[in-house]
């Protein structure tokens, strides 16, 4: 049994036979190259083939066998979105990643790392779906013309991580100026004095 590879230096085996009378044969020499055997997990369990942006994708790696004297000391995962994780340890375990943005066709690759280098053990695609933002606004309020109106706004989904545009419109779809405050959680505007529409005009806040 050869405990480790010898690719950089072939092993030499020498053998000479001696009979009962003491006669000896010529020396026989054989050279043996012991090739490295990559580490292998008993299973890799990937997450779903498709996931919504913002969702967590989970990868499971089973018990790892690395023949000979080699020992796995890290797992390296390229998540396919520009981020790579290198986690110290024996390789087996559960690994989690959150995809912030879609749409994206990610190609995930997993490698185990030991003294002999990096060894690929799994690769596969993950489709990250785009999710439309949802908006929650505070209850409608009544203000006098020319007074400040403040609307609380909470955005969930894609817009919490992407660029988006607010609009404040009259019932006639006329845009009026406004100001974002509290890191975009409040929309402040002044209904025009004698602005378009009679008393009771409603204003639409949209994303």
């Amino acid at each position: 049994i050869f405990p480790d590879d010898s690719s950089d230096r072939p092993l030499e085996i020498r053998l000479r036979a001696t009979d009962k009378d003491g006669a000896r044969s010529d020396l026989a020499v054989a050279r043996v190259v012991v090739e490295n055997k990559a580490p292998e997990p008993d299973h890799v369990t990937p997450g779903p083939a498709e996931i919504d942006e913002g969702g967590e994708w989970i990868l499971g790696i089973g018990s790892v066998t690395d023949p000979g004297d080699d020992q796995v000391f890290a797992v390296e995962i390229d998540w396919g979105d520009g981020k790579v994780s290198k986690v110290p340890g024996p390789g087996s375990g559960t690994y989690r990643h959150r995809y912030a943005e879609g749409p994206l066709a990610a190609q995930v690759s997993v490698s185990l790392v030991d003294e002999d280098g990096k060894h690929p053990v799994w690769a596969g695609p993950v489709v990250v779906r785009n999710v439309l933002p949802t908006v929650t606004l505070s209850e409608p309020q009544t203000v006098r013309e020319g007074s400040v109106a403040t609307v609380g706004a909470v955005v969930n989904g894609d817009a919490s991580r992407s660029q988006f545009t607010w609009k404040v419109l009259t019932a006639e779809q006329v845009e009026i100026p406004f100001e974002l405050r509290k890191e975009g959680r409040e929309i402040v505007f002044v209904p025009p004095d004698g602005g378009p529409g009679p008393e009771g005009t409603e204003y639409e806040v949209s994303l």
Side-chain angles (χ1 to χ4, degrees), residues 53 101 130-135 155-166 207:
E53 62 180 358
E101 288 288 351
N130 182 53
V131 178
L132 294 177
T134 58
V135 182
V155 181
N156 299 300
D158 177 75
S160 63
R161 295 173 296 277
S162 302
Q163 296 294 323
F164 55 90
T165 303
W166 288 102
L207 179 66

Side-chain angles (χ1 to χ4, degrees), residues 11 27 40 123 136 161 195:
L11 300 178
L27 182 67
E40 294 180 353
T136 304
R161 295 173 296 277

Side-chain angles (χ1 to χ4, degrees), residues 91-106:
S92 59
T94 301
Y95 303 90
R96 304 169 185 270
H97 182 68
R98 195 173 298 278
Y99 286 96
E101 288 288 351
L104 173 69

Side-chain angles (χ1 to χ4, degrees), residues 3-15:
D4 202 0
D5 66 275
S6 64
S7 56
D8 58 337
R9 61 188 191 290
L11 300 178
E12 199 170 81
I13 301 174
R14 297 170 179 264
L15 180 65

Side-chain angles (χ1 to χ4, degrees), residues 56-127:
E56 187 177 60
W57 196 78
I58 302 175
L59 173 82
I61 300 178
S63 178
V64 174
T65 301
D66 198 353
D69 290 338
D70 293 336
Q71 184 176 3
V72 171
F73 57 81
V75 58
E76 184 173 299
I77 306 173
D78 185 333
W79 300 104
D81 61 353
K83 297 181 180 178
V84 177
S85 299
K86 189 171 183 178
V87 184
S92 59
T94 301
Y95 303 90
R96 304 169 185 270
H97 182 68
R98 195 173 298 278
Y99 286 96
E101 288 288 351
L104 173 69
Q107 183 70 22
V108 181
S109 60
V110 183
S111 299
L112 296 173
V113 185
D114 66 6
E115 295 89 341
D116 294 313
K118 187 167 66 173
H119 310 279
V121 294
W122 184 87
V126 178
V127 176

